[in-house]
Amino acid sequence: MQQFAVVATHSISQPEPEAGSATAVVQLVDAEGTALIPPVQVYGNQLPAVVAELEATRRPRWVFDSVHAWYPGLLAAGVRIERAHDVRLVRAILRNAPYAVPGEYLTAIGREADPANAAPAHLLPPARVPENQGELFSEPKDSTGALENVLAEFLAQRAAVPDSERGARLGLLLAAESAGALIAAEMTHAGVPWDVEEHHRLLHEALGERVPAGVRPPRMEELAGQLRALLDAPTLNPDSPAELLKAMNRAGIAVANTRAWELTEIKHPVIEPLLAYKKIARLATANGYAWVDRWVHGGRFRPEYIVGGVVTGRWASHGGGALQIPHQVRSAVRADPGKVLVVADAAQLEPRILAALSRDTALAAAATARDLYQGIADAGFGGDRAHAKVAMLGAMYGATSGESGRLMPKLKATYPKAVGLVEWAAAQGEAGAGVSTFLGRGTPEAPEGWLKSRSRASTEAEQRAVEAEGRSRGRFTRNFIVQGTAAEWALCWMGELRRRMNAGKAAGVDTGELVFFLHDEIMLHVPAAQARTVVDLVHESARSASELLFGKIPVDFPVTAVIVDSYDQAK
DNA sequence: AAATTCAGCTC
DNA sequence: GTACGTGCTGAATTT
């Protein structure tokens, strides 16, 4: 029998005997929501012990209003759980899921103004202040986060998943998203091993002696002096784009902005030192001494992951720019003594996802090559890999002009189903309609303002603006089906890996920890002796994830996994 | 003080 | 090689 353990801050209907002293309540229910044992009132800091006990004896799926709110505390107390259902994350998916069962629940959550936190209040039991609590207790607990509400919404969410093939996919997505929430909290808890000494060494090498905050480092000051001399602008602050642009224009350099990639086109003595300045200025401000002081503690970098933070289902992060760690500082990501990093990434994931989505057998055949782009090149681009890659990326991102646009007809002739699918997705978006990923994560509705202005545009300029917005929306929906399904594959990959690592631990093998995730790349921090075993688990999990999503299909999703001491050694 | 712009980094 | 998709962050600048 399936069992669910609902965790909440309090219960509306069953106030604790000594009001104010209980800190949480746990209710074990079956799939219909029927209580299996009386609710457990938790006092003081006993929640980890209660959870550990139930986890060991019952192995329930834990239902939280938000894993992010509850799990870090459990981890800090040394308690891990296997499975969860995150009501808030599931709500966000169901709000836009085209194949969810229409009804009261979807209506309730669809109308909420604040998609991040709004609960479907009018669907849920009304808040009731227990009568025996009395008026002397001035702050009646409101219903938000109460056990009855979490349970009711959980049941409504289960009922919103249809009993069909589509429903099975959606159910997988909801489970994977919730597993992602557990993994995110566990990764933050573990932290990325960070060698502060090595980071300081490379900063010293690039910037010169460390200087107090607010003072420009020596190597930057030196270059700034060169720039002022070369541009004949003695007070120039090169950190100000406006000042820099003016100074360059005065010196006869015709540019409209100061972006590095445009400057590379220009021949002028100031360009070389300017690009050198920009490069180290970026290092100093984004990942310099202040960054290390603020974000690395006890040899660990612990970013917070925001599961489902990107509309496509990719994760975002908060704190330290975790998903944009520049290659420049990756040598500072270093395993502890006796341990190694296992760095794995899914090779050319998105075009392979497109092959699976579109059931394009020709593209699937190209995907059996280890290098998919070479496979495409051999099939229709006269062996020219660079052209094949540009064309494929253009198809997935919506490039219309340039090289990529010119190559599109050839790509479409070779892979009509794959290119046809992304073109269909783009057309949906341009028409104001939505699309969804393979597992059923849907796009948010097009902004109402655009849909209205579309029909109202009268002048030619308005018409052009509306069309441009439409194409932009089309590029979004085109990319959404690929990026979003790739994110689902990656979630399943990590979920499968976590399961295997936990099974290893249960059997007495220290499989280490997942410590970092970057869209299609994962990093593990493992005892050196177990590295080969973990690499095998990584590959196994990838095969398993592919089959979990797509069943048995002729598309390969190869991953590369390397064993290294520091992140820069992983190419 | 808060919001916006610019730029650069990652996938 | 190209200038097309999703984000976060910091400094300068504007409101």
Side-chain angles (χ1 to χ4, degrees):
Chain A
M1 180 186 59
Q2 291 187 85
Q3 295 184 52
F4 303 91
V6 185
V7 181
T9 53
H10 64 286
S11 167
I12 298 167
S13 58
Q14 304 207 350
E16 63 275 17
E18 310 157 58
S21 63
T23 52
V25 56
V26 179
Q27 171 79 78
L28 199 69
V29 299
D30 65 13
E32 275 70 51
T34 309
L36 298 173
I37 56 173
V40 182
Q41 298 282 346
V42 181
Y43 295 90
N45 57 3
Q46 289 307 298
L47 183 64
V50 171
V51 171
E53 163 79 14
L54 277 170
E55 176 73 4
T57 54
R58 302 268 190 158
R59 296 257 142 196
R61 184 175 291 272
W62 292 87
V63 180
F64 297 102
D65 54 353
S66 162
V67 167
H68 180 73
W70 289 93
Y71 198 31
L74 297 174
L75 287 168
V79 175
R80 290 183 181 241
I81 59 174
E82 194 67 33
R83 301 185 304 158
H85 176 106
D86 188 308
V87 170
R88 189 174 59 87
L89 293 177
V90 167
R91 183 194 305 145
I93 292 173
L94 290 178
R95 175 175 288 123
N96 293 319
Y99 301 109
V101 178
E104 202 179 354
Y105 180 66
L106 292 195
T107 307
I109 60 176
R111 282 191 193 146
E112 289 298 336
D114 179 2
N117 297 308
H122 74 262
L123 180 66
L124 304 172
R128 244 182 335 111
V129 180
E131 281 168 30
N132 65 353
Q133 195 167 329
E135 288 172 359
L136 287 174
F137 300 101
S138 54
E139 288 191 37
K141 286 174 175 170
D142 71 76
S143 66
T144 313
L147 181 73
E148 289 80 356
N149 289 354
V150 178
L151 176 58
E153 186 166 4
F154 165 64
L155 294 171
Q157 291 181 337
R158 281 176 58 87
V161 178
D163 183 16
S164 65
E165 156 70 17
R166 290 287 188 183
R169 288 194 207 169
L170 185 57
L172 173 58
L173 173 58
L174 302 182
E177 188 87 337
S178 296
L182 295 177
I183 293 167
E186 288 167 2
M187 287 200 307
T188 302
H189 181 73
V192 180
W194 208 278
D195 183 343
V196 171
E197 235 175 82
E198 164 65 10
H199 198 138
H200 282 179
R201 189 200 61 72
L202 68 88
L203 289 175
H204 187 274
E205 189 177 279
L207 302 169
E209 284 298 324
R210 181 170 187 175
V211 291
V215 178
R216 195 175 268 134
R219 182 76 189 124
M220 276 172 72
E221 194 54 63
E222 200 180 306
L223 284 164
Q226 288 181 34
L227 300 178
R228 294 189 190 108
L230 286 162
L231 292 171
D232 194 23
T235 62
L236 171 70
N237 170 15
D239 296 323
S240 162
E243 278 188 44
L244 187 57
L245 186 61
K246 244 187 263 176
M248 289 177 75
N249 287 340
R250 249 198 325 265
I253 305 170
V255 283
N257 59 53
T258 66
R259 286 173 210 158
W261 64 263
E262 284 198 7
L263 300 179
T264 54
E265 307 289 307
I266 294 158
K267 281 185 100 86
H268 188 284
V270 82
I271 298 302
E272 195 197 323
L274 176 53
L275 292 177
Y277 181 89
K278 280 174 169 285
K279 193 171 163 63
I280 62 173
R282 171 76 195 177
L283 175 65
T285 55
N287 296 96
Y289 293 100
W291 183 92
V292 178
D293 288 350
R294 180 159 178 209
W295 299 114
V296 182
H297 299 106
R300 292 290 186 270
F301 171 42
R302 301 174 195 279
E304 184 183 310
Y305 296 91
I306 304 170
V307 176
V310 181
V311 277
T312 56
R314 275 187 175 182
W315 292 9
S317 74
H318 179 72
L323 306 188
Q324 302 99 240
I325 304 288
H327 290 101
Q328 243 179 323
V329 305
R330 292 189 178 185
S331 62
V333 180
R334 186 170 293 274
D336 290 351
K339 292 190 176 182
V340 291
L341 303 176
V342 172
V343 181
D345 81 289
Q348 302 152 344
L349 179 59
E350 293 192 352
R352 293 173 196 276
I353 289 289
L354 176 56
L357 273 179
S358 62
R359 303 182 190 283
D360 189 315
T361 47
L363 188 54
T368 57
R370 183 75 198 178
D371 180 353
L372 171 135
Y373 294 123
Q374 190 58 53
I376 295 175
D378 293 341
F381 286 79
D384 190 333
R385 184 183 185 278
H387 278 168
K389 184 175 176 180
V390 167
M392 197 67 225
L393 292 175
M396 293 185 299
Y397 287 144
T400 51
S401 59
E403 183 93 51
S404 180
R406 280 199 298 283
L407 294 168
M408 207 51 59
K410 187 183 270 184
L411 190 74
K412 190 172 183 181
T414 317
Y415 307 111
K417 289 180 85 172
V419 176
L421 180 65
V422 289
E423 287 183 347
W424 169 83
Q428 287 284 110
E430 286 190 36
V435 295
S436 77
T437 60
F438 186 78
L439 292 186
R441 189 191 304 263
T443 47
E445 265 186 63
E448 209 178 315
W450 170 54
L451 293 173
K452 274 189 188 145
S453 65
R454 221 162 46 123
S455 48
R456 264 203 255 109
S458 51
T459 71
E460 207 165 307
E462 274 176 358
Q463 192 61 39
R464 267 202 305 276
V466 161
E467 280 167 14
E469 239 181 297
R471 283 192 299 277
S472 169
R473 179 87 187 162
R475 284 193 298 275
F476 166 60
T477 50
R478 172 195 290 264
N479 187 248
F480 183 92
I481 59 172
V482 180
Q483 187 183 117
T485 305
E488 288 165 351
W489 185 93
L491 267 184
C492 290
W493 181 33
M494 272 200 300
E496 288 292 305
L497 179 56
R498 175 178 183 266
R499 220 151 49 88
R500 285 167 171 76
M501 290 171 71
N502 286 346
K505 282 179 185 140
V509 183
D510 184 359
T511 48
E513 294 167 308
L514 269 163
V515 296
F516 191 58
F517 171 53
L518 186 50
H519 309 318
D520 58 2
E521 181 180 332
I522 54 179
M523 184 190 295
L524 303 103
H525 191 204
V526 304
Q530 306 302 336
R532 299 300 321 170
T533 306
V534 170
V535 165
D536 290 343
L537 295 185
V538 165
H539 287 292
E540 241 179 68
S541 303
R543 284 191 293 271
S544 176
S546 306
E547 195 171 329
L548 193 58
L549 256 86
F550 299 117
K552 293 207 181 295
I553 58 164
V555 180
D556 293 334
F557 293 92
V559 296
T560 63
V562 294
I563 300 167
V564 294
D565 293 314
S566 62
Y567 194 16
D568 60 316
Q569 295 163 0
K571 184 49 185 67

